Amino acid sequence: MDVVRTNITRMNGQIEVHTEIGLGTKFIIKLPATLAVSQALIIKSMDQEFAIPLNLIDETTRISQRDIDYVAGSEVINLRNKIIPFIRLNNILNLDAKKEGSRSSTELYPTLILKLADKKIALMVDEIIVQEEIVVKNMGDYLKNLGLFSGATISGEGNVRFIIDTAALIEDSLLTGKKGIGVRTTLKTEEKTAEAGVAATVKKRETLLEKPKIIIVDDSISIRKYVSHFLTRAGYEVEVASDGFEALNKIGQTKVDLIVTDLEMPVMHGYELIAELKRVSDLSKIPIIVLTSRAGEKHRQKAFEMGAQEYVVKPFEEDVLIDSIKKLLK
């Protein structure tokens, strides 16, 4: 550590050590921003260029309007079976929002997957220009309150490029009720700081990205595995139970958004499970889909009378069950 301290001191930096007994030690290294040289990706939003630190870009891809879904009123995409927030740089910067509405549903647009620790977001930009080495400049006292930017750099042509603060962008994108950071990049004297906007707790941030939880109740292990697999692939969190009694125990311990249950099961069959759910006020409003091999009309009618909202007969198509789930979770 003395070698680290010596080298940091040579660069006019500081190192702080904070220790809490039983918890651990935190090392904080502070270096002057003017000394920082890093690799960055230069991108464009409308006619303005910005820099994003390369080490915070997990990957680049292209996204069309058809790839975008909604969770709790906010845009998300399904990236390899993981739901992540989707934001548009033009909207964050308040740059020509009309252009967003004119995008074709099939046209592909460059999108950056930004990563900070275990958090990811997808950021749509107008154009990816080039990767280059940049020298990070301090924002100075006059512009230090522009919350979206961590610094600036100068292009070879002498143009100022603001460096987007990826950490702030990721954190703000996870706030419920997000309205954008509200920062314009012009250097007018009337420049305002970002709206103090949305004060949300960490718990609310997690709720924004929370996947709907579905419990599959079936005594057939093959059905449980099959349904669990394609529902997980479709972006849902899935729990399983082998009978109604096990399902009730799990539902009592965790929040469940929808139940898919068979009728013929040992210990507690599907009709009994539905009856028990309807007797408990906190559980009575959970949507129920019956998934059974019983195709008779009397079974269907009984399930609906007891409180089931959908009735799907085995064998079934994946899309049929997914469509029923989407309809009930709206």
Side-chain angles (χ1 to χ4, degrees):
M1 290 305 297
D2 62 328
V3 176
V4 174
R5 181 181 179 184
T6 299
N7 283 282
I8 290 173
T9 303
R10 285 175 181 171
M11 294 187 290
N12 297 320
Q14 298 176 352
I15 182 168
E16 299 175 5
V17 181
H18 302 280
T19 300
E20 293 187 45
I21 297 175
L23 294 177
T25 300
K26 178 167 66 175
F27 298 89
I28 301 174
I29 297 174
K30 298 179 180 179
L31 294 173
T34 52
L35 294 178
V37 177
S38 64
Q39 293 290 327
L41 194 67
I42 309 302
I43 56 95
K44 181 177 285 189
S45 180
M46 297 301 293
D47 58 346
Q48 300 188 46
E49 294 183 0
F50 302 91
I52 298 181
L54 200 63
N55 64 317
L56 297 177
I57 300 174
D58 197 46
E59 62 180 286
T60 61
T61 184
R62 302 182 77 83
I63 297 295
S64 72
Q65 289 291 120
R66 296 190 300 185
D67 298 318
I68 302 170
D69 289 314
Y70 290 86
V71 171
S74 297
E75 291 182 318
V76 298
I77 63 169
N78 189 333
L79 182 69
R80 292 185 290 277
N81 300 326
K82 185 172 182 179
I83 305 300
I84 64 174
F86 175 85
I87 58 178
R88 307 162 192 261
L89 186 57
N90 286 353
N91 289 351
I92 293 293
L93 298 172
N94 296 327
L95 295 175
D96 195 9
K98 293 180 180 179
K99 182 176 180 180
E100 295 297 336
S102 63
R103 293 187 185 274
S104 164
S105 63
T106 57
E107 187 174 353
L108 296 173
Y109 295 91
T111 301
L112 312 180
I113 307 301
L114 306 181
K115 182 176 182 180
L116 180 66
D118 60 340
K119 301 173 183 176
K120 287 186 179 182
I121 65 168
L123 177 67
M124 178 187 282
V125 300
D126 287 342
E127 186 180 348
I128 297 174
I129 301 175
V130 70
Q131 174 187 330
E132 66 179 44
E133 191 174 77
I134 62 171
V135 177
V136 179
K137 300 288 185 179
N138 209 323
M139 294 286 285
D141 292 337
Y142 183 67
L143 298 175
K144 65 182 180 181
N145 291 323
L146 292 183
L148 180 58
F149 308 115
S150 59
T153 186
I154 308 296
S155 71
E157 296 77 27
N159 299 320
V160 175
R161 294 167 172 159
F162 285 103
I163 301 170
I164 293 177
D165 187 342
T166 310
L169 191 63
I170 292 175
E171 290 297 329
D172 284 329
S173 73
L174 298 179
L175 293 172
T176 54
K178 168 178 66 69
K179 294 182 180 179
I181 300 180
V183 178
R184 294 183 183 274
T185 58
T186 54
L187 300 181
K188 298 178 180 178
T189 57
E190 66 267 24
E191 188 72 63
K192 295 183 179 179
T193 59
E195 285 185 13
V198 202
T201 62
V202 173
K203 184 175 181 181
K204 286 183 178 179
R205 294 183 192 178
E206 293 170 351
T207 302
L208 174 62
L209 297 177
E210 189 176 277
K211 300 177 182 178
K213 179 175 282 188
I214 299 172
I215 186 166
I216 310 299
V217 191
D218 201 299
D219 60 330
S220 167
I221 188 171
S222 60
I223 290 293
R224 293 200 303 270
K225 285 185 175 181
Y226 168 62
V227 177
S228 176
H229 176 71
F230 76 74
L231 288 185
T232 300
R233 194 174 65 236
Y236 299 101
E237 185 178 345
V238 180
E239 188 74 60
V240 296
S242 58
D243 57 66
F245 185 75
E246 183 183 357
L248 280 176
N249 286 333
K250 291 190 174 184
I251 294 169
Q253 296 171 9
T254 183
K255 177 180 176 293
V256 173
D257 298 294
L258 186 139
I259 299 166
V260 178
T261 182
D262 190 14
L263 291 180
E264 299 175 280
M265 295 179 290
V267 186
M268 179 184 287
H269 57 65
Y271 290 132
E272 291 175 322
L273 171 61
I274 296 173
E276 288 297 323
L277 290 169
K278 296 305 175 183
R279 271 198 284 267
V280 181
S281 59
D282 291 343
L283 306 179
S284 61
K285 294 182 180 180
I286 301 177
I288 299 172
I289 297 177
V290 171
L291 180 64
T292 179
S293 57
R294 292 184 173 181
E297 184 58 33
K298 66 176 183 178
H299 297 298
R300 182 188 300 269
Q301 189 62 33
K302 181 177 179 180
F304 285 139
E305 288 174 355
M306 295 188 68
Q309 282 78 27
E310 292 286 332
Y311 195 97
V312 179
V313 178
K314 304 173 186 174
F316 63 97
E317 296 290 335
E318 293 180 10
D319 290 345
V320 172
L321 184 57
I322 290 177
D323 287 345
S324 296
I325 291 171
K326 286 181 177 178
K327 181 173 69 174
L328 292 178
L329 289 180
K330 281 184 179 180

